[in-house]
């Protein structure tokens, strides 16, 4: 087993291609751990450039992750590595070849403790999915070192498991009837269609329509849209181009009389479609174009990709996606301690966690 650490900028084209292939081939996909996301995020968005750790068996890449140094704070009073997370990262974690979770977890934690550029006593994750095999193996590997998982926060993200039955039958009846009524009223205004854009169809024109719609309404007023910041818009264009190049970029558009009034951007990896951003024209607010667009996307998925297993909203517990999607996936933030003293330190930190939450919210 070989564990290699190095700055993101030192990876060559062959190493990046190997990393991308791993992310596209694993059953537990994560777009935010892909080079197609990490490279644009590190280039255009604020924050330190991550170090990349690669776990290899000979020349075969088994796992890869991106981390940054984190100093002691009230949540975790010890120096540690934190999983790379940007402003637009809705999930963290690593990419691991199927069946190699135990090997990668052992190698990563041992290396972080003893052989990383500088010894660290913990490994932090924000929004780590708890349902995949890697999270369980990380906990087991930490226990072997005398450490454990120290959870700081948890929520359940809305998802749709497409293998659990017909989509329409699983949406709550009241929600479905409301959407059908709004769709009928929208059709009174003109010809309505839903466009699913993938491959070459998810090109620059679709990207710009999405940016324009995401810039509408309250996001523009609050200055939180992608177009409100040149660097964020550049990040999104760069990210879309990279994911389109590997056949992963997907847009869903609700169209009225040939004009897109809602758009959702998504990333297709393996058997999961990961949502990213959405936008809609506030002039059609009474018809809930954003909700209609997501609902029509969900209905289109089984025919578009019969082998698709899951649609992940990448959203929080509240909001309209929680109404639309019947399933949930547990997600947590916290840290793995990598030794017995570190475990005691993180356990003791729970006493002043309310103060830490107050200071962080202020």
């Amino acid at each position: 087993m070989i564990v290699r650490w190095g700055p993101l900028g030192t990876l060559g084209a062959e190493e990046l291609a190997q990393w991308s292939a791993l992310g596209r081939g694993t059953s537990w996909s994560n777009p935010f751990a892909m080079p197609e996301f990490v490279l644009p995020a590190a280039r255009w968005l604020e924050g330190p450039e991550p170090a990349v750790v690669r776990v290899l068996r000979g020349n075969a890449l088994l796992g890869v992750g991106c981390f940054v140094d984190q100093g002691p704070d009230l949540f975790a009073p010890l120096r540690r590595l934190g999983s790379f997370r940007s402003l637009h990262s809705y999930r963290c974690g690593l990419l691991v070849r199927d069946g190699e979770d135990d090997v990668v977890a052992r190698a990563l934690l041992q290396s972080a403790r003893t052989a990383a550029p500088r010894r660290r006593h913990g490994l932090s994750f924000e929004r780590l999915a708890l349902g995949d095999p890697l999270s369980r193996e990380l906990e087991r590997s930490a226990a072997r070192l005398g450490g454990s998982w120290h959870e700081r926060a948890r929520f359940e993200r809305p998802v749709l498991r497409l293998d659990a039955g017909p989509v329409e039958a699983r949406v709550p009846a009241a929600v479905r009837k409301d959407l059908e009524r709004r769709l009928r009223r929208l059709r009174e205004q003109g010809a309505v269609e839903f466009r699913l854009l993938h491959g070459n169809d998810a090109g620059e024109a679709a990207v710009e329509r999405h940016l324009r719609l995401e810039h509408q309404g309250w996001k523009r007023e609050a200055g939180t849209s992608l177009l409100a910041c040149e660097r964020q818009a550049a990040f999104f264009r760069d990210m879309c181009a990279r994911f389109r190049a590997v056949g992963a970029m997907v847009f869903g558009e609700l169209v009225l009389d040939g004009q897109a009034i809602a758009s959702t951007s998504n990333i297709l990896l393996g058997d999961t479609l990961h949502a990213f951003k959405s936008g809609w024209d506030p002039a059609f607010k009474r018809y809930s174009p954003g909700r209609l667009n997501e609902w029509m996307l969900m209905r289109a998925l089984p025919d578009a990709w019969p082998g698709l297993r899951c649609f992940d909203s990448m959203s929080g517990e509240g909001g309209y996606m929680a109404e639309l999607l019947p399933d949930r996936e547990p997600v947590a933030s916290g840290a793995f301690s990598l030794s017995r003293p570190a475990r005691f330190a993180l356990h003791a930190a729970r006493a002043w966690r309310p103060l830490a939450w107050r200071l962080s919210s202020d």
Side-chain angles (χ1 to χ4, degrees), residues 19-219:
W19 177 5
S20 178
L22 174 65
R24 287 179 279 125
T26 180
S27 298
W28 298 91
S29 57
N30 180 358
F32 308 105
M34 295 276 290
E36 286 79 7
F37 180 90
V38 175
L39 288 168
R43 177 184 181 186
W44 297 107
L45 303 179
E46 293 183 1
E49 179 177 296
V52 181
V53 57
R54 296 179 297 137
V55 180
L56 304 103
R57 181 184 292 119
N59 294 322
L61 183 64
L62 304 185
V64 60
C66 297
F67 294 91
V68 296
D69 277 320
Q70 293 184 337
D73 56 34
L74 289 176
F75 287 114
L78 45 81
R79 298 196 65 83
R80 62 198 188 279
L81 289 168
S83 184
F84 173 71
R85 182 168 177 258
S86 74
L87 175 64
H88 299 296
S89 301
Y90 303 126
R91 180 178 167 184
C92 70
L94 297 89
L95 300 176
V96 180
R97 179 178 293 189
D98 289 350
E100 302 286 358
D101 302 276
D102 177 45
V103 172
V104 171
R106 284 174 182 249
L108 171 65
L109 267 59
Q110 186 65 38
S111 175
R113 185 187 182 191
T114 62
R118 285 175 289 180
R119 180 174 177 176
R120 295 296 178 259
H121 305 284
L123 201 63
S124 293
F125 290 94
E126 297 291 329
R127 298 184 179 182
L128 177 68
L130 301 181
D132 65 357
L134 178 64
S135 61
R136 296 191 296 269
E137 294 301 336
L138 285 170
E139 189 166 6
R140 290 172 182 167
S141 294
R144 295 187 188 104
L145 297 174
S148 63
W149 167 248
H150 304 263
E151 192 168 294
R152 190 177 76 244
R154 175 188 287 240
F155 72 95
E156 292 193 334
R157 184 165 59 226
V159 301
L160 173 67
R161 306 201 187 283
L162 292 157
D163 53 3
V167 173
E168 294 179 344
R170 304 193 64 224
V171 175
V175 175
R176 187 178 67 252
K177 290 179 181 178
D178 178 67
L179 290 169
E180 291 171 347
R181 176 176 57 83
R182 293 178 187 272
L183 181 57
R184 287 195 302 269
R185 291 185 176 179
L186 182 60
R187 283 174 171 155
E188 294 172 359
Q189 307 304 310
V192 176
E193 64 173 310
F194 174 76
R195 293 194 299 225
L196 191 60
L197 307 176
H198 183 220
N200 293 333
D201 292 333
E204 294 181 3
V207 172
E208 296 306 318
R209 285 195 300 270
H210 185 79
L211 283 170
R212 175 181 59 81
L213 288 165
E214 199 261 347
H215 186 57
Q216 302 296 310
W218 67 268
K219 286 188 178 182

Side-chain angles (χ1 to χ4, degrees), residues 299-322:
R299 294 169 62 189
L301 294 180
D303 290 334
W305 296 287
L308 202 65
R309 177 185 60 87
C310 180
F311 171 61
D312 192 333
S313 71
M314 292 294 166
S315 64
E317 289 182 325
Y320 67 87
M321 293 304 291

